[in-house]
Structures are given as structure tokens and as C-alpha cells.
Amino acid sequence: MDNKRELFQVLTRRFGLLNKNCCSVGAIDISSVQSHILYEIDKQTSPSMQQIADTIAMDITTFSRQIQTLIKMELVKKTPSSTDKRVFILSLTVQGKFVATTIDESMNAYLEEVFSHMNEFEKETVIRSIKLLNQAMSKSSVCCTPLL
Amino acid sequence: MDNKRELFQVLTRRFGLLNKNCCSVGAIDISSVQSHILYEIDKQTSPSMQQIADTIAMDITTFSRQIQTLIKMELVKKTPSSTDKRVFILSLTVQGKFVATTIDESMNAYLEEVFSHMNEFEKETVIRSIKLLNQAMSKSSVCCTPLL
DNA sequence: CCACTTACTTGCAATGTGCAACAAATAACT
DNA sequence: AGTTATTTGTTGCACATTGCAAGTAAGTGG
């Protein structure tokens, strides 16, 4: 019966803030979009450009340019595929891996801090709920067509 | 013990998508930022520019320009305050109110659809969890300094 | 061999953004 | 009152992000 929109509006806003702050590692400053890109490259195995762009639901042209930036920053590497000459395989450089890991750690630290305001039972409930929510959203027909 | 980052990464991404889609009403097309602005103007009572900008944690200069756009679109009105001549009070025009309401409805409809994939118990748990999460985040010292 | 699709890149053009610098009004102090 | 500091909001840059249209190069299917 609650106003769901209200709840989600606030939640979204906070997430936005979180994502904005969280993304400087030492002298390196990256945007939240770029952080998502690093995250996915790290997670997937030998992904092509298309694959990552699709996962993040990002226009391929914008994505192409973001990758160019990340390459200039020496965080990402582009290797031509051996089987298909149109395709480039993305991977993280050592520095890129370091940045991705650092961001991951600081995000997790932040989340731990947030969860520290709850008791054990609440923690588990919230985690389980978010899983449920993710599942429900993936089943939904309305939004989020660009998969994942 | 789960990887919290993973869960939140996906959730954030979905929310982003949701926010992107949801914002055209008839011939009127607004950005998700603008939708947040309309939402807050509607919610607060006789808010000043600063107030809204703070709530959304948005730079006042960017905000000022967004308001100019929304005024041109005839969705928002700016009235000089009678008590403080520096201040402008924001309000929605009839059309603005209509747009805000329509977006609210379609968002709620979408959320209903998402929740329809859960049983009653799950629904309540998830809602309660999001409230908990919001509370915890507001208590957190790490992020989200820009209030709310 | 020709048409079609796929993967990626580049050229605009529009928009969003933040910092620095500004004017105007108000508050705060002496 | 009079001077100074603060607050509110607006511009002028400069730069990042974005998407569509168009293009190249490579693979696929008749």
C-alpha cells in the first residue's frame, strides 16, 4: 500500500550519488559509466566490444569512444580476435585491474558500512530482498529490454 | 557473505534503464533529471531553487539552466519570493502537474508489474527492506552527504 | 559473385555538467 | 548607519556524454 515510487525515487537518487563519488583511485579519475565498463570487462571472459556494450545497455558508438578513452588512460587493452577479424577482445591492463579491484573494495566497504546500521536478521532480509527484486525485474516485460 | 557489490551493480543498472525509458508523456519528452526535478517541486511546498537543487544534490548552475528549459517547456513556473528578493519560488504549471502525475502513474504501474512476480509475503518483505536500506543509507557517513 | 548482416569507427549536433566570476539582496558586526 | 560577509541565483567558458547517420571492413548466405 505504500507509495513505491517514493521509495524507489529516493533509492535511485542515493545510488546515483554513490556511483558518482566512488570512482577516483589515487590520481586516476573515472566516471561511473567507465566504472561499469571496467567492472564488466573484469567479470566476463574475453568479451568483445558488442558483448560489453549490450550488457551495459549502452549505444555502441558511445561505447566505442569510451573504450578509446580508457585505452588512452591505459586501463583497457583491445586485442583483435583471431577467429573473426571484425571483433576486438577487451581486457584490463594491470593498472586497469588494480583500479577495478580498488573500486570494488571501496564499494564493498561502503556497503558494509551501510549494512552495519542493521542487525544480522535485517541484513539477510535486505540482501534476499534485493535478489528477489533483481529476479522480478529480469522477469518484467515492461522495462529493461536490453537484457541483464 | 554474498557479493553485495554484484547485487547492487545490477540493481543500479536496471534502475538507470527504468529511469531512461519512463519519461515521455505524449509529445513531451523529458530527461530523467528533469523528471526528478518535477517530482520534487510537486512534493515540496513552495520550494526555492536552492532547496530543490540541494535535495537532488545537483549543482546550482546546472539546475538553474534546467529550470530555464523546463520554463520554456511550460512545465514549471518561477515566482519571486515576497519576503526575500533573491529567492524564486518554484511551482508546476497545470501541464507540468499533468506530466508529473502521468510519470508517477506509469512508474507505479511499472513497479506493480515488477512486484506482480512475487507473492504477498515477498512483496511486503521487499518493501520493508527498501525502507530499511534507505534508512541505513541516510545514517551512513560515507556517502550521500548532500542530505535527503 | 552479389546481397545482406555484423562489428566497429567517425562526423556532426545537442545536451549536460562544473568551475570561476558575476550582480543583487540579505545578514552580521562594529 | 556603514562596512563586510554570506546567500541566491545567473552567465561564460570548456569539456564530457550521448545518439543518429553514414561509412569501412569482414563475415554469411544465397
Side-chain angles (χ1 to χ4, degrees), chain A residues 19-50:
Chain A
N19 257 328
K20 226 180 235 169
N21 296 350
C22 77
C23 298
S24 57
V25 175
I28 303 168
D29 234 18
I30 66 176
S31 71
S32 62
V33 173
Q34 290 166 347
S35 129
H36 270 270
I37 296 177
L38 294 187
Y39 178 84
E40 277 309 320
I41 295 180
D42 199 19
K43 190 176 156 198
Q44 297 186 25
T45 50
S46 316
S48 71
M49 308 227 344
Q50 274 298 341

Side-chain angles (χ1 to χ4, degrees), chain B residues 49-50 64-65 78 86 88:
Chain B
M49 309 225 346
Q50 274 296 342
S64 171
R65 277 181 272 247
K78 228 170 74 176
R86 294 168 301 177
F88 288 98

